[in-house]
């Protein structure tokens, strides 16, 4: 079974639309993360949740809203998509706030 | 943000040991050294981490200098599947964030 899974793998949408990316981990971890990797391959953290509580919120437009219905899921909702949102989004999880992180396969978002 | 310096690229012959260096001269006493790699288009993969002592697992060995200002990741017998970008990261044990720099692009040559 995949430890950290994301859906969809690819997402192509038009500017102005609202979309969601789902993430699930079956590792029993307490902490989950969202990262963004842009076209220059820089990988940067966006959000972190620990036991469903937001603990990191980097400088990210408020069009991005994470939602954690339970410890195993951390979804990313994006409103009013812009061209600059095109990137690969990775979900990750760790046992606790200090542990090594395990990443999902990524979701490639293309905004046209 | 990144506190480490790595060469941008390296080549290694298949079957030989790949030695990837990392400088972290400003590392604090409680910060660990982590290594991750990212194979093309996949999510980053945890490799190994350490504080002071050398560490070894089924994937690699981590050699940390006595002053802890630099380290080397060793892949003992590189294969073509080890071609990837390797990231060296320092982080406090309670820190939430991994700051991924630009890493080292390792190419294993047949």
């Amino acid at each position: 079974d995949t430890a950290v899974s994301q859906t969809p793998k690819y997402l192509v949408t038009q500017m102005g639309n609202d979309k969601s990316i789902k993430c699930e981990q079956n590792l029993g971890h307490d902490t989950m993360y969202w990262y963004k990797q842009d076209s220059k391959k820089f990988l940067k953290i966006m959000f972190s949740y620990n036991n469903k509580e937001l603990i990191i919120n980097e400088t990210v437009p408020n069009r991005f809203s994470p939602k954690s219905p339970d410890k195993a899921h951390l979804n990313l909702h994006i409103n009013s998509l812009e061209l600059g949102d095109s990137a690969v989004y990775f979900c990750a999880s760790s046992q606790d706030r200090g542990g090594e992180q395990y990443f999902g396969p990524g979701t490639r978002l293309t905004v046209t | 943000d990144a506190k480490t310096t790595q060469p941008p690229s390296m080549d290694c012959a298949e079957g030989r040991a790949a030695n990837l260096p990392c400088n972290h001269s400003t590392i604090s006493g409680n910060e660990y050294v982590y290594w991750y790699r990212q194979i093309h288009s996949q999510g980053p993969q945890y490799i190994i981490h350490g504080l002071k002592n050398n560490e070894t697992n089924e994937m690699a060995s981590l050699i940390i200098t006595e002053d802890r200002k630099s380290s080397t990741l060793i892949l003992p017998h590189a294969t073509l599947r080890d071609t990837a970008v390797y990231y060296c990261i320092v982080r406090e044990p309670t820190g939430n964030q991994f700051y991924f720099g630009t890493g080292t692009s390792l190419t294993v040559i047949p």
Side-chain angles (χ1 to χ4, degrees):
Chain A
D1 286 341
T2 304
V4 182
S5 59
Q6 297 178 226
T7 55
K9 188 171 176 62
Y10 299 97
L11 183 54
V12 181
T13 187
Q14 293 184 328
M15 288 174 55
N17 286 347
D18 303 338
K19 291 293 180 184
S20 292
I21 307 172
K22 296 185 177 181
C23 177
E24 176 181 3
Q25 54 94 4
N26 61 7
L27 299 167
H29 287 169
D30 287 340
T31 309
M32 296 185 71
Y33 312 80
W34 277 108
Y35 285 82
K36 177 181 179 181
Q37 188 167 40
D38 60 24
S39 58
K40 295 183 178 179
K41 303 297 184 183
F42 288 116
L43 191 64
K44 189 169 182 180
I45 193 166
M46 301 172 68
F47 300 103
S48 173
Y49 267 74
N50 180 257
N51 280 320
K52 296 174 56 179
E53 178 184 351
L54 180 66
I55 53 174
I56 291 177
N57 184 355
E58 288 293 303
T59 306
V60 175
N62 57 14
R63 298 182 294 104
F64 291 78
S65 54
K67 287 183 171 53
S68 181
D70 54 58
K71 273 183 15 176
H73 296 85
L74 181 62
N75 303 324
L76 184 64
H77 188 76
I78 315 170
N79 290 328
S80 303
L81 278 156
E82 300 177 356
L83 293 176
D85 298 332
S86 295
V88 181
Y89 292 84
F90 289 100
C91 176
S93 72
S94 63
Q95 177 63 48
D96 49 40
R97 292 171 66 168
E100 58 266 25
Q101 297 179 10
Y102 295 86
F103 285 76
T107 295
R108 182 174 294 277
L109 171 65
T110 303
V111 182
T112 61
Chain B
D1 291 333
K3 303 177 185 179
T4 63
T5 304
Q6 300 176 251
S9 63
M10 291 180 63
D11 292 339
C12 177
E14 187 178 17
R16 303 296 293 269
N19 297 284
L20 292 94
C22 179
N23 284 323
H24 31 79
S25 58
T26 61
I27 192 169
S28 301
N30 64 344
E31 287 183 316
Y32 284 73
V33 179
Y34 283 80
W35 283 84
Y36 279 75
R37 72 180 182 184
Q38 186 173 23
I39 298 171
H40 179 63
S41 297
Q42 298 181 20
Q45 178 188 23
Y46 166 78
I47 301 173
I48 199 167
H49 75 282
L51 182 62
K52 296 181 183 178
N53 301 321
N54 298 337
E55 302 287 344
T56 296
N57 63 19
E58 65 278 4
M59 289 182 67
S61 295
L62 173 60
I63 309 298
I64 303 174
T65 57
E66 192 168 342
D67 63 7
R68 302 208 326 120
K69 293 185 177 182
S70 65
S71 60
T72 301
L73 178 75
I74 301 173
L75 308 177
H77 305 287
T79 70
L80 298 180
R81 283 191 273 185
D82 291 323
T83 292
V85 177
Y86 287 77
Y87 297 98
C88 170
I89 303 160
V90 297
R91 196 188 71 160
E92 292 179 4
T94 57
N96 298 303
Q97 303 189 36
F98 281 102
Y99 290 106
F100 287 83
T102 53
T104 295
S105 179
L106 175 69
T107 301
V108 180
I109 302 168

